[in-house]
Amino acid sequence: MSAIVNSAGKVVDFVDQRITASNWLKRNIRKVFPDHWSFLLGEIALFSFIMILLSGVFLTLWFKPTMAHVVYEGAYLPMRGVGMSEAYSSTLEISFEVRGGLLMRQVHHWGALIFVAAMSAHMLRVFFTGAFRKPREINWLIGVVLLVLAVAAGFTGYSLPDDLLSGTGLRIIEGGMLAIPIVGTYMSSFLFGGEYPGDDIIARLYPVHILLVPGLIIALVTAHLMILWYQKHTHWGGPGKTNNNVAGAPFFPIYVAKAGGFQFIVMGVIVLLAATIQINPVWLWGPYDPSVVSAGTQPDWYVGFLDGALRVMPAWEFYIFDHPVSMSVLIPAILLPGIILTPLALYPWLEQKATGDTREHHLLDRPRNVPVRTGIGVAFIVFYVLLWIAGGNDFFATILEIPVNWITWFIRIGIFVLPPLAFIMTKRICMGLQRRDRDKVMHGRETGIVMVSPDGEFSELHAPLSQAQAYQLTWHERQLPSDPGPATDANGIPNPNYRAKRAQARLSRFYFGDVVQKPTVQELEAAHHDGHGGSDSARDELPSGQQ
Amino acid sequence: MPRSLSGRPRVSRIGRLLSTRRRHPLAAIAVLVAVLFTAGGAYAALAPSTSQNVQAASSTQIEEGRQLFAIGCSSCHGLNGEGQINANGDVLGPSLIGVGAASVDFQVGTGRMPLAAPSAQAVRKPVSYSQDQIDALSAFVASLAPGPAEPDEEYLDASQGDVARGGELFRTNCSQCHNTTGQGGALTMGQFAPNLTGVEPRHIYEAMLTGPQAMPVFNDATVTPEDKRDIIAFLDSVQNEPDPGGLAIGRAGPVAEGLWAWLVGIGLLIGMATWIVTRSSKA
Amino acid sequence: MSTHNVNPNGDEHAVVPHGEHAVVPADPIADPGLHHDELRLTDVDDKAERRAERQVAGMFTLASLLTVAFIVFYVVVGIHPDNPENGVNIGDVQVSNLTLGLTLGLALFLLGAGAVQWARSLMTSPEVVHQRHELRSDDETRAATIADFDTGTEETGFGRRKLIRNSLLGALALLPLPAVIMLRDLGPNTGGTPAQRKEHTIWAEGVRVLTDVTFMPIRAADLEIGQLVNAMPATFEALPEHGPERINERAKSPVMLVRMLPEDIHVEPGRENWGVDGILAYSKICTHVGCPISLYEQTTHHMLCPCHQSTFDLSDNGKVIFGPAARSLPQLPIAVDSEGYLIAQSDFTEPVGPSYWERTR
């Protein structure tokens, strides 16, 4: 043991004498990382990305990114004699002639699906807990860009094997591009090196997939983590956990062991998936042929919502000076991503408008305590999931044995009806939960024991909460809607900022008008004197053993 | 045509290699499935010899068919297969004049006919007639007017087909509805292209030849008997090919894969995350 | 930061947005302060500690064994056939994938689980609390930084020396242009505009219609009612095997032939002679975003696109009856030659595939 310490000491000494490392290490080696399962979603994304990088490097050793025409003479008999591109034939080679090649292909693909899924889940966690608030807006923006880059990495990777599914995906991209007014045909011509599909596109997507996009992802992930490190992680409030401190386990050794361990767990789970569940069996799809299509043609899940939007959009095309403008393609394929991404990226500032709050926030919100934000989030999830279902409408039609046209119509209507409904329901549920918390604080926990008073009145016995339990339900901020103040001052002179203030107050009322507030000191005392809770109240009770 | 003892058509060269060279981990399940198939297909083993006789249908067979037809089919298709239209102008059953023996063998042999109840589409179900009865019905309908006859055994033998060429033909002509692996798919207004897994080569051939229900016709002039045999060989190969990557999850592509990534992948990892953040059991 | 009222202890954090009007009540419950984690079984019980130690070490050992097993399986489970003629045995690949994946996956998993278990049960881990500091620099530092920046700007004379400034900005603004210009040759330089290249296929007057894959000419008399034929132009066969031309034509020229009862067909004026005895030819390229379609229902004459479910009625000039496509499927006028084979009367009379800006009505 001491030998290890000695050699570690030597390393530290060597580095310290050159770059003063001790100074930095001393401040950081015991850095605090709070523990909560939801804080690990981002780690799943990071660790699956590392797995993707490793397996990806392995795949590049065999993959031939060229559309040169070959007649297959490889090991997979059912394809012998079929004309195909070298990209596809080298994918077959990796699958059937390289030991562990199929495993690494499957690791790469499962890793990619999990990478984007974990990023999405991480983003939802950050949204619902308000972790995007000042000072973390930059990291939120970086996160949005990372999500877009991850989808770009996924889609270019999906396209590389040049199988029937990937080629059909590219064809749809081309169709979307052509719909762009004025420059559409030129964009397509530059991308594909002339007419679709040409024989350039795989060679062009390859550097984007293995160099450009991963390079950007690595750079942004680095920035993301450096900012996280510098700002310290957010944490949940609770006894002793405030906006001015951070409580948790030290970076070294607990966090290093846990995160390091989790890295291997994530890798292990991905490899186990790759070992047992087949993914993207391109040898069954066949080589790409632009005149051929398969029933059940789908993109990977993270592009599914765009494909779904294309599917449910009704036909709409009009002419401007004899030039067609294909809204049935433009809206879902070109405008929709912008319509989703812009408010997503700007959300921290939108909410700041409502709260008028410019302070730093390091305590997370429980989703129930911000019913409007939670409602917006759930409405977005419903919107997204509906589009995702639309993207697999034929798949679901087959599974459920109902006409695909019904699903399309259900989504066409549902996309407008269900998200607002989800918003209202979620907001109501949150308020109900808040009310329950408030009742618990005021009257204690329901025991299920019913008492009959001498007068014959029935009441349920409530057990008081400990101070720690009560604090757990009341540490959050009391968020009140803002008041625009009078339109004119005492002298009848109009306030020049009144309109802006009124607008802000309306937004604030929308956000916080219906929030069920935690009790005030007076309310709490009144409740205790009324006495469901008996004589001893949370305030009277001393915390056991501590302080 | 050589047939194995199990009564199933001889598997292709590749299929044979697969089944004999190595026992893979799912072998037990495969054996179980094979046993079930064998049991179900035992009676089909007798079919080839009788179906050959259809070509030279005797008048007694036609007569037997006429009687069966009158009992089981005429309520919709009319006593002489002329079809029936009800008072509202809806077609109760289409005319069968000229549809040929192949059509009858397909529709009745896959259990699609007789219909259990009117629906968007007739589906495969347990067969209601014995092969002799089906042959008699075929002979009767074939006697009404010339139509596609049942295929020659020689063109149903997957082992003689070219799998790679069959794959190309399948992807060009069939995969748009039936999917590249024959899983089937949705069509308009509740109709669908059925899954082709486990369908008899004879019925695959007859379906192409006659175009049952919504399916278009691919007659022998444009998709030759040799082409059809290649397609049968391809389907045979695809169906008997193990999935080297593990569970096939329906061979259904990205939608199923996405569901698994979220439910199993992310689900499992979140489970691990909740374990990681707890401390071991309290004293 | 000066407008809000958080008291220095951070105990009461009440928001008063835009400050002055609302009175925020105080929090009802005081912070009882951090309560420390209770001791674990492994902290007090030697036996439990030793058991945990064995658990962790066991996982690490198992991981090593599995790593060795991975190497063994890599060597033992071959996938290369003895005779290349026979091709790969897919069962071998299945076994290889399963054994390699299970050993590697479990090795990784156990390595990770061991480390986590070590941290959870054996590492002594008091909960640590660090104070946060406001991220904003203090006013003095900020003022000094701004002063430094101003000094630097002043020293360059960036504000005064307008000639230098403007010429620098001009040079910098132009510099990205070569990077953009150099991308010009991503697209071809000959053969007209991209839109012009889209206007034509290799169909032309008298070109025979051949079955796809097998490339056989098709006699009109051979087609039955309800027939579907996936077809290509005879000129396709002559295209060079290598290079983009062949695959580009496969993206434009494929057609499907269908035959239906002539009385079922509703013919648009001007298309009276485009079919032959109920045989019609339509482009296979969807007018929505270009998926190749041939999901033909012979009973309804509907043609469905599997990508986005646009549905076309082939008995009614390829009109759209459902889904996102806005334009009818282009029809290829066909006829029969002297030997009775189907031929094209001309190229398509409109560009095939999705809409694009330069396309006229």
Side-chain angles (χ1 to χ4, degrees):
Chain A
M1 196 64 194
S2 65
I4 294 173
V5 173
N6 276 344
S7 53
K10 274 187 191 143
V11 172
V12 170
D13 176 56
F14 177 87
V15 179
D16 188 52
Q17 293 204 32
R18 281 149 188 90
I19 56 170
T20 343
S22 292
N23 190 14
W24 186 86
L25 279 175
K26 185 170 88 37
R27 274 186 285 118
N28 287 288
I29 203 155
R30 299 289 278 186
K31 195 171 184 78
V32 174
F33 278 86
D35 257 349
H36 190 262
W37 67 267
S38 69
F39 300 168
L40 300 189
L41 292 168
E43 284 185 18
I44 299 176
L46 176 66
F47 299 150
S48 52
F49 180 63
I50 292 171
M51 193 77 229
I52 295 170
L53 287 181
L54 293 173
S55 52
V57 169
F58 181 87
L59 295 176
T60 58
L61 303 179
W62 285 274
F63 181 68
K64 297 188 182 66
T66 161
M67 291 172 90
H69 180 84
V70 292
V71 174
Y72 185 71
E73 288 303 337
Y76 182 62
L77 281 181
M79 280 290 167
R80 277 213 187 145
V82 174
M84 59 180 66
S85 68
E86 271 200 61
Y88 184 75
S89 100
S90 62
T91 308
L92 293 184
E93 187 195 340
I94 292 172
S95 306
F96 293 113
E97 293 170 57
V98 176
R99 273 176 283 177
L102 178 63
L103 184 70
M104 285 301 126
R105 264 197 64 225
Q106 303 207 121
V107 162
H108 199 64
H109 207 130
W110 279 120
L113 295 193
I114 286 173
F115 176 46
V116 191
M119 281 176 100
S120 311
H122 174 54
M123 197 160 200
L124 289 174
R125 194 282 293 176
V126 169
F127 181 87
F128 283 118
T129 59
F132 54 81
R133 291 172 298 169
K134 188 183 172 184
R136 296 185 174 77
E137 303 97 322
I138 300 175
N139 251 4
W140 172 261
L141 272 187
I142 292 176
V144 172
V145 177
L146 275 172
L147 187 65
V148 175
L149 284 172
V151 171
F155 187 81
T156 49
Y158 176 88
S159 303
L160 285 181
D162 204 25
D163 60 288
L164 196 51
L165 273 185
S166 74
T168 307
L170 281 174
R171 175 112 224 194
I172 294 167
I173 293 290
E174 194 239 357
M177 237 177 241
L178 291 180
I180 300 172
I182 305 173
V183 295
T185 50
Y186 286 90
M187 284 174 66
S188 162
S189 177
F190 287 134
L191 179 65
F192 292 98
E195 284 188 82
Y196 178 86
D199 56 2
D200 290 326
I201 184 67
I202 299 287
R204 288 177 184 183
L205 290 179
Y206 191 58
V208 175
H209 180 72
I210 69 157
L211 182 71
L212 191 61
V213 175
L216 288 171
I217 291 179
I218 291 170
L220 286 175
V221 164
T222 310
H224 202 72
L225 294 179
M226 282 170 71
I227 292 174
L228 157 78
W229 188 278
Y230 187 73
Q231 292 179 336
K232 299 192 177 83
H233 206 282
T234 50
H235 66 164
W236 294 103
K241 298 174 182 178
T242 72
N243 204 37
N244 296 341
N245 68 12
V246 52
F251 175 72
F252 184 77
I254 300 289
Y255 186 77
V256 168
K258 284 188 171 179
F262 197 33
Q263 159 78 76
F264 287 111
I265 289 175
V266 171
M267 286 178 153
V269 166
I270 292 174
V271 175
L272 288 174
L273 276 177
T276 52
I277 307 175
Q278 182 162 289
I279 188 164
N280 202 25
V282 291
W283 58 92
L284 294 176
W285 309 156
Y288 182 52
D289 175 341
S291 70
V292 165
V293 75
S294 171
T297 292
Q298 318 279 1
D300 271 345
W301 78 260
Y302 42 82
V303 186
F305 78 102
L306 283 178
D307 201 49
L310 274 169
R311 288 176 184 215
V312 294
M313 182 74 198
W316 181 21
E317 183 169 292
F318 57 79
Y319 286 80
I320 297 179
F321 302 118
D322 258 9
H323 293 297
V325 179
S326 218
M327 297 309 278
S328 47
V329 181
L330 273 177
I331 289 178
I334 312 292
L335 300 180
L336 183 74
I339 290 171
I340 290 178
L341 285 172
T342 312
L344 194 67
L346 297 180
Y347 187 79
W349 288 274
L350 294 178
E351 196 180 295
Q352 217 173 68
K353 262 263 172 310
T355 57
D357 181 355
T358 54
R359 296 163 312 140
E360 288 180 11
H361 289 276
H362 303 291
L363 281 182
L364 296 172
D365 287 325
R366 295 175 83 198
R368 69 182 59 174
N369 286 333
V370 196
V372 168
R373 181 207 289 150
T374 307
I376 291 173
V378 173
F380 175 77
I381 292 176
V382 168
F383 174 79
Y384 184 93
V385 169
L386 281 173
L387 287 182
W388 194 78
I389 291 172
N393 59 0
D394 52 343
F395 178 83
F396 293 110
T398 316
I399 298 278
L400 303 174
E401 298 188 5
I402 54 173
V404 65
N405 310 53
W406 291 6
I407 299 183
T408 302
W409 270 110
F410 169 75
I411 308 246
R412 279 177 180 177
I413 296 163
I415 204 85
F416 293 103
V417 176
L418 294 179
L421 209 63
F423 171 79
I424 293 166
M425 282 170 58
T426 308
K427 192 178 151 192
R428 291 277 139 200
I429 291 170
C430 286
M431 284 159 57
L433 290 170
Q434 281 191 306
R435 205 164 285 125
R436 206 177 66 180
D437 285 354
R438 182 186 154 95
D439 287 349
K440 248 195 216 167
V441 172
M442 287 174 65
H443 309 299
R445 181 171 50 81
E446 289 172 4
T447 57
I449 301 169
V450 177
M451 310 273 286
V452 189
S453 73
D455 307 335
E457 188 192 359
F458 286 84
S459 63
E460 190 181 355
L461 191 68
H462 284 66
L465 301 181
S466 72
Q467 188 186 357
Q469 285 169 332
Y471 185 72
Q472 199 69 40
L473 299 176
T474 52
W475 55 260
H476 61 277
E477 290 184 329
R478 193 188 297 278
Q479 190 76 263
L480 299 176
S482 72
D483 178 356
T488 54
D489 68 10
N491 302 323
I493 296 165
N495 179 354
N497 297 327
Y498 180 70
R499 274 171 164 280
K501 282 209 160 190
R502 197 179 52 184
Q504 195 275 332
R506 278 205 188 118
L507 197 57
S508 176
R509 250 199 320 279
F510 170 66
Y511 262 85
F512 305 112
D514 293 333
V515 167
V516 178
Q517 299 293 353
K518 59 186 173 185
T520 62
V521 178
Q522 293 80 9
E523 284 170 333
L524 194 62
E525 273 164 8
H528 289 154
H529 287 298
D530 283 354
H532 284 299
S535 60
D536 49 350
S537 73
R539 279 184 77 78
D540 299 336
E541 195 189 61
L542 285 168
S544 55
Q546 277 135 53
Q547 278 195 329
Chain B
M1 171 200 148
R3 277 181 174 266
S4 62
L5 285 174
S6 70
R8 299 182 61 208
R10 214 170 65 179
V11 291
S12 71
R13 192 160 56 111
I14 303 151
R16 202 169 60 243
L17 273 173
L18 295 178
S19 54
T20 55
R21 278 275 300 278
R22 183 177 295 282
R23 224 171 270 164
H24 56 78
L26 302 176
I29 297 168
V31 167
L32 185 65
V33 171
V35 168
L36 289 173
F37 264 100
T38 314
Y43 116 95
L46 304 167
S49 58
T50 50
S51 73
Q52 227 106 53
N53 294 344
V54 172
Q55 316 301 351
S58 63
S59 54
T60 50
Q61 201 179 17
I62 293 174
E63 189 45 42
E64 187 199 341
R66 184 194 307 282
Q67 287 166 15
L68 284 167
F69 192 90
I71 298 163
C73 319
S74 63
S75 59
C76 295
H77 292 290
L79 269 176
N80 294 308
E82 70 277 9
Q84 282 208 48
I85 296 172
N86 72 7
N88 302 330
D90 299 330
V91 176
L92 278 178
S95 164
L96 301 183
I97 294 167
V99 300
S103 193
V104 178
D105 191 55
F106 174 83
Q107 298 282 5
V108 185
T110 61
R112 284 180 169 78
M113 292 294 145
L115 268 182
S119 63
Q121 185 168 333
V123 293
R124 236 166 117 192
K125 58 181 187 292
V127 185
S128 315
Y129 292 89
S130 73
Q131 190 59 45
D132 281 339
Q133 290 172 318
I134 295 170
D135 293 338
L137 280 169
S138 302
F140 167 67
V141 172
S143 73
L144 297 174
E150 288 176 43
D152 264 350
E153 287 298 326
E154 138 182 42
Y155 296 116
L156 303 179
D157 182 1
S159 66
Q160 290 182 43
D162 179 337
V163 173
R165 187 166 172 280
E168 289 188 276
L169 285 161
F170 187 85
R171 284 189 291 274
T172 293
N173 291 302
C174 320
S175 71
Q176 70 269 25
C177 300
H178 292 285
N179 170 292
T180 44
T181 54
Q183 301 301 305
L187 296 174
T188 67
M189 293 318 301
Q191 303 184 86
F192 61 93
N195 190 330
L196 301 180
T197 310
V199 179
E200 291 273 317
R202 197 152 61 104
H203 295 144
I204 293 170
Y205 194 111
E206 287 165 353
M208 288 190 268
L209 195 61
T210 61
Q213 306 183 68
M215 177 169 166
V217 176
F218 299 88
N219 69 10
D220 284 349
T222 56
V223 177
T224 64
E226 287 80 8
D227 295 344
K228 289 191 172 80
R229 182 169 61 195
D230 290 347
I231 289 172
I232 288 167
F234 168 76
L235 280 170
D236 181 80
S237 158
V238 162
Q239 283 168 26
N240 292 310
E241 185 180 305
D243 288 294
L247 295 178
I249 51 172
R251 288 181 171 178
V255 173
E257 291 162 5
L259 283 171
W260 280 75
W262 271 98
L263 299 181
V264 178
I266 295 293
L268 212 59
L269 289 170
I270 287 180
M272 295 310 299
T274 49
W275 174 67
I276 288 170
V277 295
T278 56
R279 287 153 56 89
S280 69
S281 50
K282 291 204 178 78
Chain C
M1 287 303 288
S2 53
T3 54
H4 62 88
N5 55 350
V6 177
N7 79 22
N9 301 326
D11 285 338
E12 283 178 22
H13 18 264
V15 187
V16 186
H18 293 243
E20 306 79 15
H21 307 290
V23 177
V24 178
D27 279 350
I29 311 284
D31 184 353
L34 199 68
H35 80 100
H36 291 279
D37 287 322
E38 290 159 51
L39 288 176
R40 299 165 295 190
L41 206 56
T42 45
D43 295 326
V44 293
D45 181 0
D46 277 354
K47 245 194 206 155
E49 190 188 344
R50 277 198 302 277
R51 195 168 54 234
E53 195 178 343
R54 278 198 305 275
Q55 253 176 20
V56 173
M59 286 196 245
F60 288 156
T61 312
L62 206 51
S64 333
L65 291 178
L66 283 162
T67 310
V68 174
F70 175 91
I71 298 167
V72 171
F73 281 124
Y74 184 90
V75 176
V76 171
V77 182
I79 60 170
H80 305 292
D82 309 329
N83 176 6
E85 270 303 293
N86 294 340
V88 67
N89 179 359
I90 296 172
D92 288 346
V93 183
Q94 192 180 39
V95 175
S96 168
N97 187 70
L98 191 70
T99 52
L100 294 182
L102 284 182
T103 48
L104 181 63
L106 282 173
L108 286 164
F109 185 88
L110 287 171
L111 203 53
V116 170
Q117 185 62 2
W118 183 6
R120 286 175 78 247
S121 59
L122 291 169
M123 289 186 190
T124 44
S125 57
E127 198 162 27
V128 184
V129 179
H130 278 187
Q131 287 303 304
R132 293 181 191 270
H133 307 282
E134 206 186 347
L135 290 163
R136 177 189 190 278
S137 325
D138 59 61
D139 289 342
E140 208 176 310
T141 314
R142 281 158 70 112
T145 310
I146 291 167
D148 282 353
F149 187 75
D150 286 346
T151 315
T153 317
E154 184 55 33
E155 282 167 0
T156 60
F158 196 73
R160 276 174 291 124
R161 302 187 210 280
K162 291 223 163 59
L163 190 62
I164 289 184
R165 189 188 68 186
N166 293 345
S167 55
L168 172 66
L169 291 179
L172 285 174
L174 281 177
L175 210 53
L177 285 181
V180 176
I181 288 288
M182 277 171 73
L183 296 176
R184 167 61 189 87
D185 281 354
L186 278 175
N189 285 293
T190 52
T193 65
Q196 283 164 347
R197 282 192 291 275
K198 288 194 151 310
E199 279 161 18
H200 299 289
T201 71
I202 50 171
W203 286 107
E205 187 182 349
V207 172
R208 271 192 183 164
V209 185
L210 305 187
T211 58
D212 200 356
V213 183
T214 44
F215 300 114
M216 297 183 302
I218 303 158
R219 245 182 252 278
D222 285 342
L223 298 195
E224 296 170 27
I225 305 294
Q227 183 109 14
L228 166 72
V229 182
N230 292 284
M232 287 295 287
T235 37
F236 176 76
E237 275 197 292
L239 295 177
E241 196 184 342
H242 297 280
E245 231 177 313
R246 201 175 169 91
I247 198 162
N248 289 351
E249 274 315 319
R250 279 201 88 78
K252 282 200 299 189
S253 300
V255 295
M256 50 205 164
L257 291 173
V258 292
R259 183 164 196 172
M260 51 190 92
L261 289 171
E263 59 264 32
D264 286 346
I265 303 174
H266 170 257
V267 185
E268 210 167 70
R271 294 190 176 186
E272 290 85 356
N273 299 320
W274 283 21
V276 177
D277 295 337
I279 302 175
L280 304 173
Y282 287 95
S283 164
K284 265 176 86 169
I285 309 302
C286 183
T287 60
H288 177 222
V289 283
C291 281
I293 55 176
S294 52
L295 284 78
Y296 178 58
E297 296 173 7
Q298 63 134 323
T299 40
T300 56
H301 313 305
H302 292 170
M303 175 66 66
L304 173 74
C305 174
C307 294
H308 306 107
Q309 284 84 40
S310 295
T311 311
F312 305 88
D313 187 349
L314 297 195
S315 65
D316 188 10
N317 310 290
K319 283 219 171 70
V320 182
I321 54 170
F322 186 80
R327 276 188 302 102
S328 302
L329 218 47
Q331 189 179 350
L332 182 76
I334 52 170
V336 282
D337 64 12
S338 53
E339 292 170 66
Y341 289 112
L342 291 171
I343 54 168
Q345 289 184 30
S346 68
D347 194 356
F348 284 101
T349 56
E350 57 180 321
V352 300
S355 288
Y356 54 92
W357 178 255
E358 294 91 334
R359 204 196 134 91
T360 44
R361 208 182 289 256

